[in-house]
Every structure is written in C-alpha cells, then in structure tokens.
Amino acid sequence: DVNQSFIVQAPAGSGKTELLTQRLLALLAYAVDEPEAILAMTFTRKAAQEMRQRVMQALTQAKDGTPIEGLHQQKTRD
C-alpha cells in the first residue's frame, strides 16, 4: 500500500534492498507529479547508493525493454 509508511528490518542478504527498490519504484509511479515527496532512509551512504543504482537500473531496463529473467525482476518491473 503506497499510502502507508513502513520499516524493513532483516538480516544481511535477506532481500531488503530489493524490497525497498520495488517500494521506491511503486512510490515513484504513484507520486509521479511530486517525486520529491518520497523519502527513503538507510544507515549508510553505501546502502543509499546501492538503492539509487538499483532504481536507476530498473528504470533503464524497463525503458529499454530488457528481457526479464526471474520472478524478482518481474515484480520489480511491475
């Protein structure tokens, strides 16, 4: 639900970044007129950079029509 805020807490390697990337993409689609209204926080600059990179990669792949290779990518593309 893009109208609700949430927190993700899980151990390393559990897919938090993927989940947050999918969430950011959903929020961007919903708030297309006000993308600056979206706030995502992480504990490190490295994590923030990784999320930024994944969001940009997902948008580029969708624009280019890059084939989808798995369920993770399908959810991200959707």
Side-chain angles (χ1 to χ4, degrees), residues 3-70:
N3 293 307
Q4 301 291 319
S5 297
F6 74 97
I7 295 173
V8 176
Q9 293 178 300
S14 62
K16 292 182 302 291
T17 303
E18 183 72 22
L19 176 65
L20 290 170
T21 299
Q22 292 167 351
R23 173 72 173 187
L24 285 169
L25 290 166
L27 288 168
L28 283 170
Y30 181 77
V32 71
D33 293 332
E34 294 183 320
E36 64 276 358
I38 299 169
L39 173 66
M41 295 189 305
T42 67
F43 285 105
T44 66
R45 292 178 192 265
K46 182 180 177 183
Q49 176 60 31
E50 184 175 346
M51 277 199 304
R52 184 180 307 115
Q53 183 179 21
R54 287 193 190 194
V55 167
M56 294 305 297
Q57 181 181 26
L59 291 171
T60 300
Q61 289 176 347
K63 182 184 123 211
D64 295 344
T66 303
I68 296 169
E69 297 178 6

Side-chain angles (χ1 to χ4, degrees), residues 18-19 22 25 68 70-78:
E18 183 72 22
L19 176 65
Q22 292 167 351
L25 290 166
I68 296 169
L71 295 176
H72 291 256
Q73 289 181 352
Q74 184 63 53
K75 177 123 178 109
T76 301
R77 180 76 53 92
D78 291 345

